[in-house]
C-alpha cells in the first residue's frame, strides 16, 4: 500500500511535527560536542522543503538511552548545530517532560517559516511504550505529522506510530527514499542480483536469507557468521566464531539455496590470528587449513578475488554486515575491498546501514553508492520483508 508523501499535502501556514533522527554521536566528556552531524544533514532536505511552503516546523528526536531526564542527553547542542546548518534560528523548546504548558504556548506562538526542536523524546518513559497520553501531547502541537526517521521505523513509539494515529501523516524525503530504493530492489530487482551478508551471527540474518532466497541469484557470506556455515559443511574452523545451535539451520539454508538454484559463496581462505586484538601476528590460510588453536577474522585474498568479481558483474547488490573485524586494521582488508568493488559496480548498490554503512564511509566510498541506508535495525527488518510499524502507521494514499 502506497503511503502519503510530502507531495500529498499543502503545508502552507500549517504546523508540522517532524520525527527526525538526531541520535548523533557526541564526545564522551559531557560537553555535548557533536562528532558526526551526518544525521542532522540528512534531515535538511525535508525541513527545507517544508519551510519553502511557509510551514512551521516542529522537530522531535531521541538521543541515546536516557533513564528519564538526563542533562548529558539533552538535544540543545543539536539545536545549535542545526541552526548553523540551516542558517536560521532554531527555537529549542526545553522541558523535562518534552511537552508541557510552556512548550504548548511556545509552539502555538511560532510563525510560518520558523523552526523549533523539542527536548529528547526518551526523557519520557512512555515514548518507547507508545503511551497514548504522550502521543496525544505531541500531536497537540501540530496539524500534520511527517516521519523522516527511518532508523526508528522498526519500533512502535509515541513519536512515530502514536502520533501518526492522531494526525494526517506523510513520509519525509529520507524515509521515502529508503522505501523507494530498497523496495524496488527487493520487488523488481535487475539481475544478476547479489546479496552480501556478513557480521557476527547467522541468527541475526536468518530472516534476511529466507526472504532473499526467492529473489537473489547469488549470496556471498562472510564475517563471523560464515564459520557456522563452514562448520555445517564439515570444515575445521579452529576457534573461529561459531553458533553451535545454528548448525542444522545453516545446513538447511544451504540445502534450500541449492534447491532454488541460488549460488552461495563462502570464504575459501581467511586471515588467522590468536585473538580479536590489535597488532596480532596474522597468517593467510586456506579455509581447509585453519589450525585448531587459531581463529579466522577476515576473508583472505582468494575469497576477495571471487567476491569482488561477482559484485562487479552484478546489476543489483545489497550488502549487510562486514566481512571481518574491520575495526581492527589487520582484519579490515576484506570489508574495504568489497566496499571498493561496490563503488566500481555499474548496477544499483545498496548498503543496509549499521556496520556496513560505517565501513563504506570509512573507506571513502559513500558517495559512489546508489543508497546507504540510515537505519541498521530498520533496514535489516526491511530486507527480511517485514512491515515496519513506523511506515505502516502513515496515512495511506
Amino acid at each position: 500500500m502506497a503511503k502519503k508523501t510530502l507531495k500529498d499535502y499543502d503545508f502552507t501556514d500549517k504546523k508540522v511535527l517532524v520525527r527526525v533522527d538526531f541520535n548523533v554521536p557526541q564526545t564522551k566528556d559531557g560537553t555535548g560536542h557533536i562528532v558526526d552531524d551526518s544525521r542532522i544533514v540528512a534531515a535538511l532536505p525535508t525541513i527545507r522543503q517544508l519551510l519553502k511552503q511557509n510551514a512551521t516546523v516542529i522537530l522531535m528526536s531521541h538521543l541515546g538511552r536516557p533513564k528519564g531526564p538526563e542533562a548529558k542527553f539533552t538535544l540543545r547542542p543539536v539545536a545549535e548545530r542545526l541552526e548553523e546548518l540551516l542558517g536560521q534560528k532554531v527555537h529549542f523548546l526545553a522541558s523535562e517532560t518534552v511537552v508541557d504548558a510552556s512548550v504548548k504556548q511556545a509552539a502555538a506562538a511560532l510563525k510560518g517559516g520558523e523552526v523549533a526542536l523539542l527536548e529528547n523524546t526518551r526523557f519520557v518513559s512512555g515514548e518507547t511504550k507508545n503511551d497514548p497520553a504522550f502521543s496525544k501531547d505531541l500531536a497537540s502541537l501540530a496539524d500534520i505529522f511527517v516521519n523522516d526517521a527511518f532508523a526508528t521505523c522498526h519500533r512502535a513509539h509515541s513519536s512515530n506510530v502514536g502520533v501518526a494515529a492522531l494526525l494526517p501523516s506523510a513520509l519525509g524525503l529520507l524515509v521515502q527514499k529508503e522505501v523507494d530504493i530498497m523496495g524496488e530492489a527487493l520487488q523488481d530487482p535487475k539481475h544478476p542480483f547479489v546479496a552480501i551478508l556478513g557480521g557476527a551471527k547467522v541468527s541475526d540474518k536468518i530472516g534476511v536469507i529466507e526472504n532473499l532466497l526467492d529473489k537473489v541469484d547469488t549470496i556471498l557470506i562472510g564475517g563471523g557468521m560464515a564459520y557456522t556455515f563452514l562448520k555445517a559443511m564439515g570444515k575445521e574452523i579452529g576457534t573461529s566464531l561459531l553458533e553451535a545451535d545454528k548448525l542444522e539451520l545453516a545446513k538447511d539454508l544451504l540445502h534450500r539455496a541449492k534447491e532454488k538454484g541460488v549460488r552461495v559463496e563462502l570464504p575459501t581462505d581467511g586471515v588467522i590470528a590468536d585473538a580479536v586484538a590489535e597488532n596480532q601476528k596474522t597468517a593467510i590460510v586456506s579455509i581447509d587449513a585453519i589450525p585448531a588453536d587459531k581463529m579466522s577474522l577476515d576473508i583472505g585474498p582468494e575469497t576477495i578475488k571471487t567476491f569482488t568479481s561477482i559484485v562487479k558483474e552484478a546489476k543489483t547488490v545489497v550488502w549487510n554486515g562486514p566481512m571481518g573485524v574491520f575495526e581492527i586494521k589487520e582484519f579490515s582488508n576484506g570489508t574495504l575491498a568489497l566496499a571498493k568493488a561496490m563503488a566500481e559496480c555499474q548496477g544499483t548498490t545498496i548498503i543496509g546501514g549499521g556496520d556496513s554503512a560505517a565501513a563504506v564511509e570509512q573507506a571513502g566510498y559513500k558517495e559512489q553508492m546508489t543508497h546507504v541506508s540510515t537505519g541498521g535495525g530498520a533496514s535489516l527488518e526491511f530486507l527480511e520483508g517485514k512491515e515496519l510499524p513506523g511506515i505502516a502507521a502513515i496515512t495511506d494514499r
Side-chain angles (χ1 to χ4, degrees):
M1 176 67 75
K3 297 294 176 179
K4 290 206 170 181
T5 67
L6 297 190
K7 289 181 185 145
D8 294 300
Y9 294 97
D10 177 4
F11 293 100
T12 311
D13 301 327
K14 293 277 193 285
K15 286 197 162 55
V16 187
L17 186 64
V18 186
R19 176 57 160 105
V20 287
D21 177 20
F22 287 167
N23 185 25
V24 292
Q26 296 176 319
T27 48
K28 301 273 188 276
D29 57 8
T31 58
H33 178 73
I34 295 165
V35 179
D36 177 5
D37 66 3
S38 53
R39 287 180 177 176
I40 306 174
V41 172
L44 295 177
T46 291
I47 297 169
R48 288 192 174 121
Q49 186 150 323
L50 293 168
L51 292 175
K52 233 189 256 175
Q53 292 189 44
N54 204 44
T56 304
V57 179
I58 300 166
L59 304 164
M60 56 179 171
S61 175
H62 76 285
L63 175 65
R65 297 176 181 270
K67 310 232 179 309
E70 288 184 65
K72 68 176 175 180
F73 290 112
T74 178
L75 281 172
R76 189 180 291 279
V78 175
E80 289 164 5
R81 183 73 190 111
L82 178 62
E83 200 165 271
E84 289 169 18
L85 291 166
L86 267 182
Q88 74 172 73
K89 169 88 180 143
V90 173
H91 302 270
F92 183 59
L93 309 183
S95 167
E96 290 196 345
T97 58
V98 184
V99 183
D100 58 20
S102 67
V103 167
K104 286 182 182 180
Q105 203 177 344
L110 291 168
K111 298 190 170 48
E114 290 194 308
V115 181
L117 174 63
L118 302 177
E119 186 51 282
N120 190 341
T121 55
R122 287 196 187 166
F123 279 8
V124 176
S125 62
E127 155 73 326
T128 55
K129 301 184 185 93
N130 192 11
D131 173 36
F134 185 45
S135 303
K136 199 175 165 190
D137 274 343
L138 291 167
S140 72
L141 304 175
D143 307 304
I144 302 172
F145 167 63
V146 171
N147 188 354
D148 209 30
F150 182 72
T152 61
C153 279
H154 60 311
R155 302 198 174 103
H157 290 176
S158 289
S159 64
N160 57 6
V161 172
V163 172
L166 301 170
L167 292 172
S169 58
L171 301 177
L173 297 174
L174 193 61
V175 176
Q176 191 192 335
K177 186 184 175 201
E178 295 270 5
V179 172
D180 288 353
I181 294 179
M182 290 213 286
E184 189 181 336
L186 294 178
Q187 279 150 23
D188 188 20
K190 290 189 173 64
H191 294 271
F193 180 9
V194 177
I196 309 168
L197 299 175
K201 296 178 174 177
V202 180
S203 49
D204 292 343
K205 303 288 189 316
I206 295 165
V208 179
I209 296 171
E210 290 182 329
N211 189 41
L212 293 178
L213 277 178
D214 288 323
K215 300 174 169 64
V216 299
D217 302 292
T218 306
I219 300 177
L220 309 178
I221 298 177
M225 65 184 276
Y227 301 97
T228 299
F229 283 96
L230 290 163
K231 183 78 171 175
M233 291 165 65
K235 304 275 189 193
E236 170 56 62
I237 62 165
T239 58
S240 306
L241 197 62
L242 171 67
E243 281 180 281
D245 62 332
K246 295 288 180 283
L247 286 169
E248 283 309 310
L249 176 81
K251 217 177 276 184
D252 177 55
L253 289 170
L254 289 170
H255 175 68
R256 279 158 61 192
K258 195 174 180 181
E259 277 187 334
K260 289 176 187 288
V262 174
R263 175 182 175 188
V264 176
E265 286 286 345
L266 286 153
T268 51
D269 58 350
V271 180
I272 57 166
D274 288 328
V276 182
E278 289 180 8
N279 305 316
Q280 283 281 302
K281 187 171 176 249
T282 64
I284 292 158
V285 300
S286 156
I287 225 71
D288 295 310
I290 300 174
D293 61 345
K294 304 276 185 198
M295 55 174 65
S296 181
L297 295 166
D298 192 14
I299 56 174
E302 283 305 315
T303 309
I304 289 173
K305 204 187 287 181
T306 305
F307 282 16
T308 55
S309 69
I310 292 169
V311 167
K312 285 179 188 174
E313 296 300 312
K315 291 281 187 287
T316 308
V317 192
V318 175
W319 182 14
N320 191 290
M323 295 292 100
V325 188
F326 79 101
E327 300 87 347
I328 297 172
K329 190 172 180 292
E330 289 87 343
F331 314 117
S332 64
N333 280 351
T335 302
L336 298 179
L338 270 183
K340 182 173 188 281
M342 284 193 74
E344 291 167 359
C345 172
Q346 298 300 302
T348 299
T349 49
I350 297 169
I351 311 293
D355 285 340
S356 316
V360 165
E361 189 137 5
Q362 185 183 313
Y365 296 119
K366 186 179 177 182
E367 298 310 314
Q368 279 117 292
M369 303 298 160
T370 307
H371 181 61
V372 178
S373 178
T374 53
S379 71
L380 201 57
E381 291 200 11
F382 199 94
L383 292 175
E384 286 175 19
K386 289 182 181 172
E387 185 172 54
L388 306 185
I391 292 168
I394 297 296
T395 310
D396 291 330
R397 220 180 209 151

